Amino acid sequence: MTAALRLLIGRSLRHELRTPDSLIVNTALPVIIMVLFVYVFGGAISTGSSGLAYIDFVVPAVLLMSGGYGAALTAVNIADDMTGGMIDRFRTLPISGWAVPAGHVVASVIRNVGSSAIALAAAILLGFRPYASLVDWLLVLALVTGYVLAMSALAVLWGLLVNSTQAAGAFSFIVLFLPYLSDGVVPAETMPGALRAFAEHQPATPIVDALRALLLDQPMGSSGVVAAGWLGGAVLIALPTAALLFRRKTRS
């Protein structure tokens, strides 16, 4: 890791600490979402053929919501840099072009994996009891980190494509609702035809299914491989594209 990248990561993390609304989102939102699903929706939603208690069923989706929403806000941060004059100041310094978007991505991963950890802690306090082994926990960490990394990379790309922070903020709503339209909040088998087909073939579903299998010691099937494919593909496409787009937009 270069010195410039370390400085840019530190800058992004310090900015987070100095912004009260961001701190509230990253700490309170995971708890609020967990409480909402367990106490408001939990008694009214059936988990279908899985036979799981609702809290056990929904925790993987909440982990993705908590980490993914904060990661998606990275689009606003990079768009603010691009439109607020900060990039002009960076161009006077000996900083590689790729380091600025990379700094936002790494800082986002650090922040938002923490948000998912807060959601998991809240779930355990509310009665969630995982059966994961040490290896399973490491794989859970890898999946959540991979999801946050993918969403952060896509968020940076989106923030570079749009021309305002308002447009950049739209990405967070897409990411927040992606787990709702998966097998994470309600079983896909209960959805009507077209929606069920979308839920069964969108990226969040295999990630949720793999997390559920790891946390509850259930058969994983092909969901782990499919999840890894989705996440790896997103990162491999988004990061180089974002770096190329950043260099083009900041070229003298």
Side-chain angles (χ1 to χ4, degrees):
M1 184 183 295
T2 67
L5 180 56
R6 287 196 298 270
L7 289 172
L8 289 167
I9 294 169
R11 168 186 173 259
S12 294
L13 293 174
R14 286 193 299 273
H15 180 75
E16 183 81 12
L17 293 174
R18 294 170 183 170
T19 310
D21 54 342
S22 296
L23 282 174
I24 292 171
V25 167
N26 280 338
T27 56
L29 184 64
V31 178
I32 292 171
I33 292 176
M34 196 68 248
V35 171
L36 179 69
F37 277 108
V38 173
Y39 289 118
V40 177
F41 299 144
I45 298 177
S46 168
T47 60
S49 60
S50 71
L52 295 173
Y54 189 66
I55 187 171
D56 296 332
F57 182 86
V58 80
V59 162
V62 175
L63 296 184
L64 298 190
M65 290 179 199
S66 301
Y69 179 74
L73 292 176
T74 308
V76 176
N77 296 334
I78 190 74
D80 187 53
D81 278 352
M82 299 300 294
T83 60
M86 183 59 69
I87 296 301
D88 293 332
R89 297 175 63 183
F90 285 153
R91 289 168 66 184
T92 66
L93 302 173
I95 297 175
S96 300
W98 63 268
V100 176
H104 279 290
V105 169
V106 175
S108 172
V109 170
I110 295 171
R111 288 194 308 266
N112 295 299
V113 170
S115 293
S116 293
I118 292 172
L120 180 60
I124 291 173
L125 289 175
L126 294 174
F128 176 61
R129 294 296 179 264
Y131 299 98
S133 65
L134 176 60
V135 173
D136 291 336
W137 279 116
L138 292 175
L139 291 173
V140 167
L141 177 61
L143 270 177
V144 172
T145 302
Y147 182 77
V148 173
L149 174 60
M151 292 303 106
S152 301
L154 290 169
V156 166
L157 180 58
W158 177 269
L160 291 170
L161 287 171
V162 299
N163 296 316
S164 69
T165 55
Q166 291 80 8
F171 187 69
S172 62
F173 292 98
I174 298 172
V175 174
L176 179 62
F177 285 102
L178 193 63
Y180 284 93
L181 301 177
S182 72
D183 195 39
V185 177
V186 298
E189 65 193 38
T190 66
M191 299 179 184
L195 192 57
R196 176 177 178 175
F198 175 80
E200 290 176 343
H201 296 92
Q202 62 117 320
T205 290
I207 302 170
V208 165
D209 289 344
L211 287 172
R212 193 177 289 138
L214 291 168
L215 289 169
L216 300 176
D217 193 25
Q218 294 185 336
M220 184 180 297
S222 63
S223 59
V225 174
V226 177
W230 274 112
L231 296 177
V235 172
L236 290 175
I237 292 172
L239 283 181
T241 305
L244 177 62
L245 184 59
F246 181 84
R247 285 196 296 269
R248 287 185 176 178
K249 295 191 74 168
T250 57
R251 186 176 297 165
S252 300

